[in-house]
Amino acid sequence: MQFISGLPQGVYVGQTQIQHPRALASTSSALAGFNLALHVNDQTARVQQHRMMLLDQLSAYGVNKITWMRQTHSTLCHTVNHQQSFNEREGDGLVTQLAGHALMMMTADCLPVVLGNANGTEVANLHAGWRGLANGIIENTIEQMQSQPTWAWLGAAISQPCFEVGTEVKQVFCEKYPPLESAFESGKQFGKYQADLYAIARYILGLYGVKVVLGGDQCSYRQSDRYYSYRRDPQAGRMASFAFMA
């Protein structure tokens, strides 16, 4: 687990990887390593222990609360501060202004995006697959925030050479944002295109005034020693991206 540098003082952002010194053994090769997802047919007790290990690590930096959610490739975003619901939240975006509260998003090819303001008093974390990006998860999360985000971090996602989509996907983006034509390259098959999730996210962030965008240089599909990938193995586990303020 590594923290991202270049952020406002007191803001911590990072992403877990497959390798973890305390990861529990698994009978499934697809789930081997530090899986943090409950919805991938892993043993519930194993996943919960992994989550507690992560909380223990982050507590050294002042974290006393973690929010997970049931992600649905939606555009739903929730603000979470002092009051916590006993029911699992559904959606793909979280915002907080509360120090010590870590926001979690699970991915295995989709794009994790963390946002924050210049003062380090508000952070957001969101899960952006192509559907979420097309339907407005970034836009909705920014609107949910109380302050203008000035920076973003893009975690490990599937890279353009490995992400083939159909014409209908390209059309959805280009009808909404015509300049995104440049984020698609012709694929090997007729009617197929290789989509650049990083470029799409950077464009949308730029429209909303986010000038500093960090990360966006990994590939969850190719870097099999570091990251889970759904396209590489549909039975794969999930990493977690996190953001919190100390």
Side-chain angles (χ1 to χ4, degrees), residues 65-70 78-90 94 98 101:
K65 186 179 298 182
I66 285 184
T67 293
W68 303 83
M69 66 190 325
R70 186 162 67 89
H78 303 275
T79 294
V80 289
N81 286 314
H82 296 281
Q83 188 65 35
Q84 289 296 294
S85 171
F86 287 104
N87 298 319
E88 185 179 41
R89 294 179 183 270
E90 179 179 300
L94 291 169
L98 181 65
H101 189 162

Side-chain angles (χ1 to χ4, degrees), residues 40-233:
V40 294
N41 296 319
D42 201 347
Q43 295 176 339
T44 299
R46 178 175 184 264
V47 175
Q48 294 289 18
Q49 287 184 69
H50 283 172
R51 290 185 176 189
M52 289 304 297
M53 290 175 194
L54 184 57
L55 175 58
D56 183 59
Q57 283 185 279
L58 297 182
S59 67
Y61 298 89
V63 171
N64 53 38
K65 186 179 298 182
I66 285 184
T67 293
W68 303 83
M69 66 190 325
R70 186 162 67 89
Q71 298 167 212
T72 58
H73 293 272
S74 69
T75 59
L76 295 174
C77 180
H78 303 275
T79 294
V80 289
N81 286 314
H82 296 281
Q83 188 65 35
Q84 289 296 294
S85 171
F86 287 104
N87 298 319
E88 185 179 41
R89 294 179 183 270
E90 179 179 300
D92 293 271
L94 291 169
V95 177
T96 192
Q97 298 87 35
L98 181 65
H101 189 162
L103 310 179
M104 295 290 174
M105 285 293 155
M106 294 178 291
T107 58
D109 283 338
C110 290
L111 177 62
V113 181
V114 173
L115 299 163
N117 62 13
N119 298 326
T121 57
E122 183 176 35
V123 291
N125 195 358
L126 61 96
H127 161 258
W130 76 261
R131 290 178 179 83
L133 285 172
N135 292 325
I137 184 60
I138 290 179
E139 296 93 319
N140 285 5
T141 302
I142 291 176
E143 290 176 5
Q144 184 78 15
M145 297 178 71
Q146 295 182 1
S147 58
Q148 169 64 38
T150 59
W151 58 267
W153 170 76
L154 308 180
I158 191 168
S159 64
Q160 184 173 20
C162 304
F163 188 40
E164 192 171 70
V165 299
T167 304
E168 72 283 358
V169 175
K170 178 185 177 185
Q171 185 175 357
V172 167
F173 282 105
C174 294
E175 286 182 353
K176 186 175 183 180
Y177 297 126
L180 285 180
E181 181 84 26
S182 61
F184 295 84
E185 294 182 354
S186 296
K188 296 179 181 179
Q189 303 179 53
F190 177 76
K192 296 292 185 180
Y193 295 88
Q194 291 168 320
D196 190 340
L197 294 178
Y198 289 132
I200 292 169
R202 288 190 183 99
Y203 176 81
I204 297 172
L205 290 166
L207 289 180
Y208 280 76
V210 181
K211 303 301 184 183
V212 177
V213 182
L214 307 172
D217 56 359
Q218 303 290 299
C219 179
S220 53
Y221 185 91
R222 286 178 168 173
Q223 294 172 267
S224 58
D225 59 327
R226 293 187 181 185
Y227 307 117
Y228 294 112
S229 168
Y230 179 81
R231 287 221 168 187
R232 192 176 64 237
D233 188 342

